[in-house]
Amino acid sequence: MKIDFKHNQSAHCENGVVSNLLKHNGHDISEPMVFGIGSGLYFVFLPFLKVNYAPVISFRPMPGFIFKRFSKRVNIKIKRYKFRDKKKALLTLETELKNKNPVGLQVGVYNLTYFPDEYRFHFNAHNLVVYGKKEGTYLISDPVMENVTTLTEKELEKVRFAKGAFAPKGHMYYPIHYPEKLDLEKAIKKGIKSTCRDMLAPVPIVGVKGIRRVAKLIRKWPVKLGTKKANHYLGQIVRMQEEIGTGGGGFRFIYGAFLEEASVILNNPKLKELSKEITQIGDLWRDFALDASRLYKNRSSQVDGYNKVADKMAIIADKEENFFKKLKKAI
Amino acid sequence: MKKKDVPQDNSKLSTKDMKELCYAVDEKGKYTTTLSTGWEPKSIALSNAIDDIDERIQRAKERVLNNITSPIEYYMELHRMDLPILASYMGMWKWRVKRHFKPSVFKKLSTNVLKKYTAIFDISIAQLQNIEDN
């Protein structure tokens, strides 16, 4: 039982699964398009929430949000299931596969045996596609992998019923209804507007203001927390910014690719210019990561070094504020 | 980022022959995708995080051997979990799981509860009771 499914590697799992499922159904929508329309670019700082013993800093909205917004904005209906009963979860999956319907699954990363050990954390908002079953193992298209892979029934059950934050509870989904014509123009505008609104939000921990706040705090970390903790926190920022799935530079490069594509569809040359600008901002984020890594590599404790990376981040905040103001006007 | 500048550093991705997709700009200034084997700043952050976890595992091990905590805490650390995650797997309140960290409480746990732990950690009861029994 194998469905003819074309696997395309993507940077981010959520956009990748959506893009691959749409392509399977004859709608050629790229990963950056899904990301941009779903308003994937974001920044939030949650000092009161700790993951891996460091405050949460995220460059993306809550898992599932991009997909939800995207399908709403282009008018695609999605069928979703969640299960309490593991057997029922498997049976429903099998039925869909028999109907030649590849399905998206939300899974936990920890038990994904095809990932390198170092990357296996208890992160429950990963996404992949099951496109068949062969000799008792399930055929998997994981968008962050170069090639397709497989999971046994036991492994699949484990990842589908991983526990902890964002527990997938067997979450399975697939598109069931498309409009006659996908109205991308309207959706792109909506997506861009909503991103500008988020990034310029008058909330101290969100968007540009959030970046500025983190920059301010970085200066205090080495004195307030000690070098070890300060370095751990910095490392955590770099990991969130550059982790697999971001496409580099805290998603800024994917967004650049989106704006480039959008400028053609909307016939708006300004967006092409802005695509170049966000690419440069992405490069600044890379610079920030490089400098931060020098600090935690040498486990050095010069307060000066922290001020320097904080300066870089503050400059990024200013540039992004300017950028999103221009972007808002451009559409 | 220019396509030619996409880093190809050594990283742990190579252990499973994995490469990640990056977005970058080609010579003509157009966006394209390309694969990367890894980037050093990121690898260092990851390996520091792994070192921290190893340190926690080691500390938990010593605490078990000194009878300060129960093997459950050790296996929790070994599986990169924290209390909320383990409690969620057990379907119990956090304070109950935390109570099981007490060696005196751990000794009196029923076989049923022990079996639940062994299923989560994928080990035998003997291994759960004695962390050096492998």
Side-chain angles (χ1 to χ4, degrees):
Chain A
M1 180 165 59
K2 186 182 164 195
I3 304 163
D4 193 17
F5 185 78
K6 194 166 178 300
H7 171 82
N8 296 292
Q9 191 181 9
S10 65
H12 190 251
C13 62
E14 198 176 317
N15 314 319
V17 163
V18 179
S19 168
N20 279 343
L21 283 176
L22 287 178
K23 278 179 185 155
H24 179 77
N25 287 289
H27 296 275
D28 191 11
I29 306 260
S30 70
E31 179 191 11
M33 219 8 109
V34 177
F35 180 78
I37 292 177
S39 299
L41 198 83
Y42 195 53
F43 185 91
V44 65
F45 168 56
L46 302 171
F48 38 82
L49 198 68
K50 298 260 181 0
V51 166
N52 284 327
Y53 308 95
V56 173
I57 284 171
S58 179
F59 289 80
R60 52 171 285 183
M62 288 263 288
F65 269 39
I66 302 176
F67 184 21
K68 235 179 241 166
R69 289 183 194 148
F70 171 81
S71 44
K72 208 176 141 198
R73 286 173 188 159
V74 292
N75 260 325
I76 297 174
K77 288 215 171 58
I78 309 287
K79 176 94 181 145
R80 293 171 186 279
Y81 297 89
K82 280 197 178 183
F83 302 93
R84 298 191 99 176
D85 184 356
K86 292 176 182 170
K87 271 196 197 115
K88 215 172 158 194
L90 190 70
L91 275 178
T92 319
L93 172 66
E94 298 257 341
T95 320
E96 288 307 326
L97 293 179
K98 265 181 209 137
N99 292 338
K100 297 259 172 216
N101 190 16
V103 294
L105 293 182
Q106 183 194 339
V107 296
V109 170
Y110 186 70
N111 283 303
L112 285 180
T113 37
Y114 52 79
F115 268 20
D117 274 354
E118 288 79 6
Y119 286 83
R120 288 170 56 189
F121 286 95
H122 292 274
F123 173 68
N124 285 333
H126 188 62
N127 291 276
L128 48 78
V129 173
V130 187
Y131 68 98
K133 188 181 179 186
K134 209 175 163 188
E135 290 152 14
T137 61
Y138 289 86
L139 307 175
I140 307 290
S141 152
D142 187 324
V144 307
M145 304 291 289
E146 212 175 334
N147 298 307
V148 290
T149 170
T150 56
L151 285 173
T152 64
E153 192 178 312
K154 196 184 164 197
E155 285 166 344
L156 191 67
E157 186 183 292
K158 266 191 172 174
V159 295
R160 290 184 80 188
F161 287 92
K163 297 282 171 63
F166 305 122
K169 299 192 175 100
H171 188 183
M172 176 175 119
Y173 53 86
Y174 51 87
I176 44 166
H177 177 77
Y178 297 91
E180 266 172 38
K181 190 181 161 285
L182 295 186
D183 186 2
L184 287 184
E185 287 163 43
K186 227 168 120 194
I188 289 171
K189 284 184 186 162
K190 261 196 176 159
I192 291 180
K193 271 184 197 153
S194 141
T195 299
C196 291
R197 200 165 45 234
D198 286 347
M199 291 303 289
L200 297 170
V203 183
I205 55 169
V206 171
V208 172
K209 283 208 151 96
I211 302 174
R212 221 167 261 148
R213 170 161 226 160
V214 174
K216 236 183 191 168
L217 286 173
I218 290 177
R219 297 175 204 278
K220 293 185 192 158
W221 281 349
V223 180
K224 206 174 145 197
L225 307 169
T227 317
K228 195 168 179 230
K229 225 172 174 183
N231 282 338
H232 176 63
Y233 281 16
L234 260 190
Q236 195 73 8
I237 300 182
V238 173
R239 281 181 63 203
M240 293 317 289
Q241 180 193 320
E242 296 296 329
E243 202 46 274
I244 299 182
T246 62
F251 296 103
R252 267 63 182 166
F253 298 133
I254 299 189
Y255 205 69
F258 160 68
L259 288 180
E260 188 182 276
E261 222 178 295
S263 100
V264 178
I265 295 174
L266 297 179
N267 198 10
N268 183 344
K270 262 192 199 153
L271 294 183
K272 172 82 189 169
E273 288 303 309
L274 288 164
S275 156
K276 282 185 187 149
E277 193 171 328
I278 194 76
T279 308
Q280 284 161 3
I281 294 175
D283 288 338
L284 292 177
W285 279 107
R286 299 282 282 191
D287 271 358
F288 161 80
L290 191 65
D291 284 3
S293 75
R294 290 206 182 104
L295 283 174
Y296 55 71
K297 182 184 181 183
N298 305 323
R299 306 183 192 253
S300 73
S301 55
Q302 326 130 332
V303 179
D304 195 36
Y306 289 90
N307 278 332
K308 267 188 200 149
V309 294
D311 286 345
K312 282 220 160 140
M313 212 183 208
I315 291 173
I316 292 173
D318 291 344
K319 294 218 165 174
E320 291 205 344
E321 184 169 11
N322 190 6
F323 170 83
F324 286 108
K325 278 181 179 159
K326 276 197 266 178
L327 182 59
K328 207 172 155 188
K329 273 192 205 139
I331 51 157
Chain B
M1 188 164 50
K2 298 223 166 59
K3 193 178 171 186
K4 62 175 172 36
D5 297 334
V6 170
Q8 305 292 347
D9 299 344
N10 274 331
S11 78
K12 293 287 196 297
L13 287 175
S14 57
T15 54
K16 294 258 172 168
D17 210 17
M18 222 171 131
K19 281 183 193 135
E20 60 175 305
L21 191 87
C22 288
Y23 281 80
V25 179
D26 66 14
E27 304 86 22
K28 287 179 196 132
K30 253 188 88 73
Y31 260 100
T32 176
T33 59
T34 184
L35 293 174
S36 161
T37 52
W39 190 36
E40 205 197 355
K42 196 154 106 154
S43 310
I44 304 168
L46 180 62
S47 77
N48 282 355
I50 300 281
D51 287 350
D52 283 349
I53 293 170
D54 288 343
E55 218 181 292
R56 298 180 65 86
I57 296 170
Q58 203 48 41
R59 244 182 299 157
K61 190 174 189 175
E62 278 158 26
R63 280 151 49 83
V64 174
L65 297 178
N66 291 327
N67 213 22
I68 302 167
T69 188
S70 79
I72 291 170
E73 191 181 354
Y74 166 75
Y75 282 109
M76 177 184 86
E77 295 289 356
L78 192 66
H79 284 264
R80 297 178 184 169
M81 292 180 178
D82 56 14
L83 193 58
I85 295 175
L86 181 56
S88 156
Y89 270 98
M90 285 298 288
M92 281 178 183
W93 296 101
K94 280 184 271 182
W95 64 265
R96 273 192 77 193
V97 174
K98 202 170 179 184
R99 218 175 129 256
H100 298 165
F101 289 178
K102 281 191 185 167
S104 55
V105 175
F106 176 70
K107 262 178 222 147
K108 285 185 219 147
L109 285 182
S110 69
T111 328
N112 272 339
V113 175
L114 288 180
K115 270 192 184 147
K116 244 177 147 175
Y117 279 113
T118 56
I120 293 167
F121 298 135
D122 207 5
I123 49 175
S124 67
I125 289 190
Q127 280 170 321
L128 181 64
Q129 281 165 337
N130 184 358
I131 61 168
E132 290 187 306
D133 186 3
N134 274 312

